[in-house]
């Protein structure tokens, strides 16, 4: 405590030193805490369930037969087989996302739903906060138990935590469901990064989803994620072996039920291996998008903290030179060196603790920025620090304190007592070993800064290449929004009539140039792939053909500005009862009909049926709607008027800024159906930016970290050069007295600056090239050793170093020889 009180008094007497040191640490620790806050919730944290380490997620190879609705999915009958016959599991649950339209007291809002098995809460070990959870009794009869379970976050956000909502009726997708329970705080489903609002039993799927097939009975519809809890006395290897015996038996039974399945398909289908993936952290699409960028950013902020620690270490060494006489006196009076080291380490730890406390504020701001950088709505992540974040912050502060404090403390505790107590000038300035150590710190800071600058340059250039890519369509002046009338109980004929009326209403609005609709909008990564039969191609010879499918409205390609290569677009005459027509892109044309004119040829949905009944009436140019980094896949387009549809995205090309029409578009929908939720209202340019959110995030943050690191390195270089100039004041005064001109003095100082910068850059350059190879998968359109980026980073760092060294050099030219010769 005596050391702590002394450290507080000492730091209070040096406010400038304390402020600079605390600010440097706050920035370094705060940046690390902010990235860790997001990384922890997405990559590291287990779900708030009972014994999450026992949970596994079942996964199978994509080589299958049927309709695949979501990734990592199984059919409901197969889930029942796992649940009833899986001897290695204590319980098996199933879940699937379900879009919902929730009405209460005349207000209808879109909600994120989840359809779950009756044993969902039992297997997870979760109890209700209010009421009860869903049970196996709620999941026995299709449509027989219209009940709903609300998550805690949705209950507090949408209903203000009103307990009277229990046993009340909500209108969900046009059906009345009774609220039976509220979930515990912190739990929002099994999908991390998608906060679930409402959970309903699987047996309500036929009522709420309006599926064209019955997925409760169909083994060819893959739509459920399956999680299981391994028995405590069963090892993961035993569980894997045991469940795969059952899985192969199930596949053999399913193969026998397939109509006309080719023999070559049997071995691959029956002998698929079922994987048991770790399930304690749930599943997450957001995790897949952000895991690599977050790891890269965590490495970058680690370098920023090292540079900040180097700066503080330099400050402590400089400060220790002014305290050498104090330390020498204390040693002469009998103090032990370990006491001196302890005292200096207490000061360092106090600085680190204050920096860590300030870092929490910086981390809170930065985390808020990071979460709002993500394009996903309702992600269920928080910026509020919990014990894990506070522990990480505390650990970083302690580690930083030891990192920057230990070496200066050990050096300061070894003064030459005789020389120091004589109060000679050299004792104040410090020895050559101390100078070398400080120079070494600056060289390391320059090398780390080069790494960050090169990384920032590579990410910035990659983002530039993506943003200037030829999309194949015109994103400017296009507004999009999404509707799903099926969630409000519309049947197919009402849906078709609704969309036709809505398109006519929007076309009549002032400022609207074109209007059309599409089921899976461009750049959203919504994918619909269906096996097709192509005229003149036998599947046994050519292999299975599974193109991307889009159901579009009349004038879709004109609205988006996708050029027509041959034939015609769809028109309003291509409706129900009209001849079936379709269009394909250039990739599909080359693949389906090499060296042939595709117009007038036919394709059909369903490889097994072998019916090619859709006439190709047009070919369009390839575009980047499937993803900017992806080569254009095979696309087939069909008129939505000839298909069974539900959710559709309306695309509106405007004359002026599309944002000005957003309110009018909502009003047009409201005139047709005031209870129909409108969601995803955004411009196509916003959609483009959101599709690049990971690239924009890493480019923006790496540029910020690179700038910050360069400034910290420049400050460290300035401190060392100012120290060296002060140390050589007498020498410089003699040189000036003997006639040295200011230019020579400047060159003498800048020579040392150049050497330190050159050594730092020489060390950092091969490391930067290695870094480029490490992040190559994150780049687009350039090599990891991009010469322009390396040159710009080198020039930037050299300029910053020169600026940092020039100020002490200029100050050296103004030394008064008379004062310098008397300098002690």
């Amino acid at each position: 405590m005596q050391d702590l009180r002394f450290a507080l008094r000492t730091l209070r007497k040096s406010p400038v030193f304390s402020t600079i040191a605390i600010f440097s640490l706050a920035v370094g620790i705060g940046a690390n805490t902010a990235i860790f806050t997001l990384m922890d919730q997405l990559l590291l944290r287990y779900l708030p369930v009972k014994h999450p380490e026992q949970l596994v997620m079942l996964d199978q190879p994509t080589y299958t037969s049927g309709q695949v609705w979501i990734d990592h999915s199984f059919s409901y009958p197969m889930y029942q087989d796992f649940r009833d016959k899986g001897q290695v599991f204590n319980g098996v649950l199933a879940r699937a996302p379900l879009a919902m339209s929730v009405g209460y007291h005349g207000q209808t809002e879109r909600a994120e739903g989840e359809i779950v098995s009756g044993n969902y809460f039992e297997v997870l070990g979760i109890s209700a906060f209010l009421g009860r959870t869903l049970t196996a009794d709620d999941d026995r009869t299709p449509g027989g138990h219209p009940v709903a379970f609300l998550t805690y976050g949705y209950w507090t956000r949408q209903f203000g935590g009103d307990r009277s909502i229990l046993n009340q009726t909500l209108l969900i997708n046009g059906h009345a469901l009774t609220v039976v329970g509220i979930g515990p705080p912190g739990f929002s489903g099994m999908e991390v990064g998608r906060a679930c609002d409402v959970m309903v039993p699987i047996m309500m799927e036929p009522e709420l989803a309006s599926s064209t097939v019955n997925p409760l009975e169909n083994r060819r519809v893959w739509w459920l994620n399956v999680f299981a809890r391994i028995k405590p006395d069963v090892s993961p290897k035993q569980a894997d072996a045991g469940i795969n015996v059952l899985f192969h038996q199930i596949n053999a039974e399913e193969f026998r039920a397939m109509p006309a399945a080719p023999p070559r398909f049997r071995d691959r289908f029956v002998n698929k291996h079922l994987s048991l993936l770790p399930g304690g952290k749930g599943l997450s699409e957001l995790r897949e998008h952000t895991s690599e960028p977050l790891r890269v950013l965590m490495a970058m902020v680690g370098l920023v903290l090292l540079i900040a620690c180097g700066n503080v270490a330099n400050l402590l060494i400089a400060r220790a030179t002014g305290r050498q006489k104090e330390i020498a006196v204390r040693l002469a009076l009998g103090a032990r060196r370990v006491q001196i080291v302890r005292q200096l380490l207490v000061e360092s730890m106090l600085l680190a603790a204050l920096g860590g406390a300030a870092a929490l504020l910086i981390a809170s701001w930065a985390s808020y920025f990071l979460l709002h950088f993500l394009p996903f709505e309702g992600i269920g992540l928080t910026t509020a620090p919990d014990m894990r974040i506070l522990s990480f912050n505390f650990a970083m502060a302690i580690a930083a304190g030891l990192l920057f404090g230990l070496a200066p403390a050990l050096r300061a505790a070894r003064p030459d007592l005789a020389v120091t107590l004589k109060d000679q000038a050299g004792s104040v300035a410090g020895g050559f070993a101390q100078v070398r150590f400080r120079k070494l710190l600056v060289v390391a800071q320059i090398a780390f800064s080069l790494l960050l600058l090169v990384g920032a340059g590579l990410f910035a250039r990659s983002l530039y290449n993506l943003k200037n890519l030829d999309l194949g369509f015109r994103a400017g002046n296009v507004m999009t929004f999404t509707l799903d009338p099926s969630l409000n109980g519309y049947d197919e004929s009402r849906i078709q009539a609704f969309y036709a009326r809505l398109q006519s209403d929007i076309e009549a609005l002032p400022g609207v140039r074109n209007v059309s609709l599409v089921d899976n909008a461009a750049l959203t990564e919504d994918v619909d792939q269906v096996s097709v039969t192509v005229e003149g191609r036998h599947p046994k010879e050519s292999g299975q053909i599974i193109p991307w499918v889009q159901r579009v409205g009349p004038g879709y390609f004109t609205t988006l500005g996708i050029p027509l290569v041959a034939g015609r677009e769809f028109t309003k005459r291509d409706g129900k009862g009209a001849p079936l027509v379709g269009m394909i892109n250039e990739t599909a044309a080359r693949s389906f009909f090499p060296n042939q004119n595709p117009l007038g040829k036919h394709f059909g949905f369903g490889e097994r049926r072998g019916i090619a009944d859709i006439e190709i009436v047009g070919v369009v140019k390839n575009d980047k709607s499937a993803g900017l980094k992806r080569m254009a896949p095979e696309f087939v387009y069909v008129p939505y008027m000839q298909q069974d549809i539900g959710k559709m995205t309306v695309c509106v090309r405007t004359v002026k800024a599309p944002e000005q029409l957003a309110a009018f578009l909502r009003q047009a929908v409201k005139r047709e159906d005031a209870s129909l939720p409108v969601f995803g209202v955004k411009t196509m340019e916003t959609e483009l930016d959101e599709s690049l959110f990971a690239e924009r995030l890493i480019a923006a943050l790496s540029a910020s970290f690179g700038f910050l690191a360069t400034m910290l390195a420049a400050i460290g270089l300035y401190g060392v050069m100012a120290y060296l100039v002060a140390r050589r004041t007498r020498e410089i005064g003699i040189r000036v007295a003997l006639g040295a001109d200011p230019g020579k003095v400047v060159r003498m100082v800048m020579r040392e600056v150049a050497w330190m910068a050159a050594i730092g850059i020489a060390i950092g350059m091969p490391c930067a090239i290695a870094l480029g190879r490490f992040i190559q998968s994150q780049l687009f359109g350039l090599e990891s050793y991009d010469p322009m980026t390396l040159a710009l980073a080198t020039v930037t760092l050299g300029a910053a170093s020169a600026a940092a060294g020039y100020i002490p050099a200029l100050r050296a030219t103004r030394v008064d020889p008379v004062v310098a010769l008397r300098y002690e």
Side-chain angles (χ1 to χ4, degrees):
M1 290 303 297
Q2 182 179 348
D3 287 342
L4 183 60
R5 287 194 296 269
F6 184 78
L8 283 169
R9 289 198 304 270
T10 304
L11 295 180
R12 192 166 56 242
K13 290 178 182 178
S14 308
V16 175
F17 160 79
S18 302
T19 301
I20 294 174
I22 291 171
F23 175 76
S24 298
L25 292 171
V27 170
I29 298 174
N32 278 268
T33 304
I35 300 298
F36 179 79
T37 300
L38 192 56
M39 191 173 183
D40 177 53
Q41 295 180 76
L42 285 174
L43 307 185
L44 306 178
R45 186 172 300 194
Y46 281 107
L47 295 171
V49 300
K50 182 180 179 181
H51 299 302
E53 70 281 355
Q54 296 176 356
L55 290 177
V56 292
M57 183 176 75
L58 278 59
D59 192 25
Q60 63 173 325
T62 56
Y63 190 80
T64 185
S65 174
Q67 299 180 31
V68 180
W69 290 4
I70 59 175
D71 293 335
H72 315 293
S73 58
F74 297 85
S75 67
Y76 182 72
M78 186 173 283
Y79 155 69
Q80 290 178 305
D81 292 334
F82 292 143
R83 182 193 64 192
D84 300 336
K85 303 175 184 177
Q87 300 300 316
V88 295
F89 298 136
N90 261 342
V92 183
L93 66 88
R95 53 80 62 189
L98 178 67
M100 290 183 178
S101 174
V102 180
Y104 183 67
H105 287 175
Q107 297 293 323
T108 305
E109 299 288 342
R110 177 178 166 83
E112 296 293 341
E114 195 162 299
I115 196 161
V116 302
S117 57
N119 63 349
Y120 180 89
F121 296 96
E122 178 188 355
V123 174
L124 293 180
I126 293 176
S127 302
F129 178 75
L130 283 179
R132 68 171 178 85
T133 62
L134 302 179
T135 67
D137 291 334
D138 298 318
D139 202 29
R140 298 191 188 280
T141 308
H145 289 81
V147 294
F149 185 85
L150 309 184
T151 60
Y152 186 88
Y154 183 67
W155 174 59
T156 55
R157 184 176 68 253
Q158 193 70 16
F159 302 101
D162 183 5
R163 291 172 176 255
S164 66
I165 192 64
L166 209 62
N167 299 318
Q168 295 292 313
T169 299
L170 301 179
L171 195 65
I172 299 180
N173 293 1
H175 294 78
L177 274 71
T178 302
V179 178
V180 296
I182 309 297
F187 180 75
S188 58
M190 298 289 288
E191 189 170 352
V192 179
R194 177 186 176 270
C196 177
D197 299 325
V198 184
M199 297 179 181
V200 297
I202 281 182
M203 285 297 157
M204 292 302 297
E205 197 279 341
E207 302 291 325
L208 301 181
S210 302
S211 305
T212 56
V213 296
N214 184 0
L216 297 179
E217 298 177 358
N218 197 325
R219 285 187 174 270
R220 302 271 62 78
V221 179
W222 310 85
W223 64 292
L224 289 170
N225 300 128
V226 178
F227 289 80
R229 185 178 292 278
I230 297 179
K231 289 182 177 179
D233 57 343
V234 176
S235 70
K237 182 177 289 188
Q238 291 172 327
D240 184 281
I243 197 62
N244 269 286
V245 172
L246 174 62
F247 186 55
H248 294 158
Q249 293 172 355
I250 296 171
N251 285 335
E253 289 293 327
E254 291 195 355
F255 179 81
R256 281 193 285 270
M258 290 182 186
R264 63 181 177 82
F265 181 76
R266 184 189 186 282
D267 289 341
R268 282 185 288 177
F269 184 82
V270 172
N271 296 321
K272 290 184 297 182
H273 184 82
L274 182 70
S275 301
L276 301 183
L277 307 178
K281 298 175 184 177
L283 72 162
S284 175
E285 179 186 353
L286 183 58
R287 180 187 298 154
E288 294 174 4
H289 283 87
T290 57
S291 59
E292 286 304 317
L294 283 177
R295 289 189 177 96
V296 172
L297 289 174
M298 199 69 204
M300 286 186 163
V301 293
L303 290 179
V304 171
L305 181 58
L306 285 177
I307 294 172
C309 288
N311 257 8
V312 179
N314 254 324
L315 288 171
L316 287 174
I317 292 172
R319 189 164 177 268
T321 60
R323 298 178 62 184
Q324 282 186 339
K325 189 169 184 179
E326 169 206 333
I327 293 171
V329 169
R330 293 174 65 184
L331 288 170
L333 293 175
R336 291 176 298 164
R337 294 187 189 276
V338 67
Q339 291 176 301
I340 303 298
V341 171
R342 185 189 66 197
Q343 170 63 57
L344 296 177
L345 274 180
V346 167
E347 292 182 18
S348 298
M349 289 300 179
L350 180 59
L351 279 175
L354 294 173
L360 287 175
L361 183 60
I362 293 177
S364 178
W365 293 338
S367 299
Y368 180 84
F369 166 77
L370 286 174
L371 290 185
H372 285 75
F373 212 104
L374 302 178
F376 302 91
E377 298 177 2
I379 58 177
L381 305 181
T382 178
T383 61
D386 56 13
M387 284 306 299
R388 289 170 63 91
I389 304 304
L390 292 175
S391 299
F392 175 83
N393 179 271
F394 179 75
M396 292 297 291
I398 295 300
L402 289 173
L403 186 62
F404 70 74
L406 188 58
L410 292 173
R411 287 183 173 276
R414 296 173 184 167
D416 187 330
L417 294 184
V419 175
T420 304
L421 291 175
K422 289 178 182 179
D423 199 22
Q424 292 182 0
S427 68
V428 178
F432 287 104
Q434 191 180 91
V435 174
R436 284 196 299 271
F437 183 70
R438 294 192 66 187
K439 286 183 177 180
L440 181 62
L441 286 176
V442 170
V443 167
Q445 286 178 302
I446 291 173
F448 289 153
S449 297
L450 183 67
L451 277 176
L452 291 173
L453 284 175
V454 169
L458 290 173
F459 288 126
R461 290 205 62 203
S462 179
L463 179 62
Y464 176 83
N465 291 340
L466 285 167
K467 289 182 74 69
N468 288 274
L469 195 64
D470 180 13
L471 302 176
F473 59 86
R474 300 195 310 274
N477 281 27
V478 176
M479 175 67 77
T480 65
F481 63 91
T482 303
L483 303 166
D484 193 348
S486 66
L487 300 184
N488 278 29
Y490 283 50
D491 60 23
E492 185 58 35
S493 61
R494 285 187 65 196
I495 291 174
Q496 293 282 356
F498 170 82
Y499 282 133
R501 290 196 308 272
L502 181 63
Q503 182 168 356
S504 297
D505 291 347
I506 294 176
E507 285 174 340
L509 291 175
V512 172
R513 179 171 292 169
N514 304 103
V515 183
S516 192
L517 296 92
V518 61
D519 60 343
N520 295 319
L523 302 175
T524 60
E525 296 192 0
D526 287 341
V527 177
D528 191 2
Q529 290 182 271
V530 181
S531 61
V532 299
T533 297
V534 175
E535 179 183 347
R537 290 184 60 175
H538 198 284
K540 289 186 177 180
E541 299 172 356
S542 59
Q544 197 173 26
I545 305 171
I546 310 178
W548 290 41
V549 179
Q550 279 188 322
R551 297 157 186 86
V552 304
Y556 173 74
F557 301 102
T558 298
T559 302
L560 259 65
I562 301 175
L564 191 66
V565 176
R568 67 171 179 87
E569 274 201 68
F570 302 135
T571 68
K572 293 182 180 180
R573 293 190 297 273
D574 298 316
K576 292 285 187 180
L580 299 179
V581 294
M583 300 175 66
I584 57 178
N585 69 346
E586 293 174 307
T587 301
R590 288 192 295 267
S591 174
F592 295 174
F593 311 104
N595 303 316
Q596 298 180 56
N597 181 6
L599 296 182
K601 302 287 188 180
H602 295 78
F603 69 89
F605 292 122
E607 178 189 27
R608 301 280 184 263
R609 291 191 306 161
I611 301 174
D613 53 357
I614 301 174
E615 181 183 354
I616 298 173
V617 297
V619 179
V620 295
K621 191 175 180 62
N622 288 338
D623 62 60
K624 290 291 185 179
S625 59
L628 298 184
K629 292 184 178 181
R630 186 194 299 266
M631 296 295 291
E634 300 167 341
F635 260 105
V636 301
Y637 308 93
V638 291
Y640 79 81
M641 301 88 73
Q642 297 182 344
Q643 306 289 318
D644 293 333
I645 55 169
K647 176 180 73 70
M648 296 289 284
T649 296
V650 182
C651 305
V652 183
R653 180 168 292 281
T654 63
V655 176
K656 296 182 180 179
E659 295 88 346
Q660 299 174 3
L661 279 181
F664 297 101
L665 296 176
R666 289 181 181 276
Q667 290 173 7
V669 176
K670 195 172 184 179
R671 284 194 295 269
E672 294 293 336
D673 186 345
S675 66
L676 188 62
V678 179
F679 55 96
V681 182
K682 62 185 72 172
T683 66
M684 186 66 76
E685 290 177 325
T686 301
E687 192 73 65
L688 175 61
D689 282 342
E690 289 183 355
S691 71
L692 295 171
F693 84 93
E695 289 79 7
R696 290 190 301 116
L697 175 68
I698 198 169
L701 291 182
S702 62
S704 302
F705 297 150
F707 172 79
L708 184 62
T710 303
M711 292 300 100
L712 289 174
I715 291 171
L717 180 59
Y718 168 80
V720 169
M721 295 314 301
Y723 171 79
L724 290 176
V725 168
R727 187 173 181 273
R728 300 176 67 179
T729 298
R730 179 179 290 178
E731 173 197 343
I732 293 171
I734 294 173
R735 288 176 179 272
V736 173
L738 293 176
D741 62 80
K744 288 185 178 179
V745 176
V746 170
R747 286 194 294 274
M748 178 187 70
V749 176
M750 293 301 293
R751 192 178 298 117
E752 292 205 51
V753 173
W755 270 110
M756 283 188 282
I759 294 172
I761 291 171
I763 294 172
M765 187 60 70
C767 298
I769 294 173
L771 170 70
R773 291 175 181 169
F774 175 72
I775 63 174
Q776 180 68 63
S777 62
Q778 303 288 313
L779 305 178
F780 179 81
L782 73 161
E783 296 295 333
S784 58
Y785 51 86
D786 180 55
M788 181 181 294
T789 302
L790 296 174
L792 284 175
T794 303
V795 170
T796 300
L797 195 55
S801 301
Y806 184 71
I807 298 174
L810 191 62
R811 186 176 298 166
T813 63
R814 298 172 181 171
V815 171
D816 186 337
V818 176
V819 175
L821 291 173
R822 295 176 180 172
Y823 179 75
E824 290 185 353

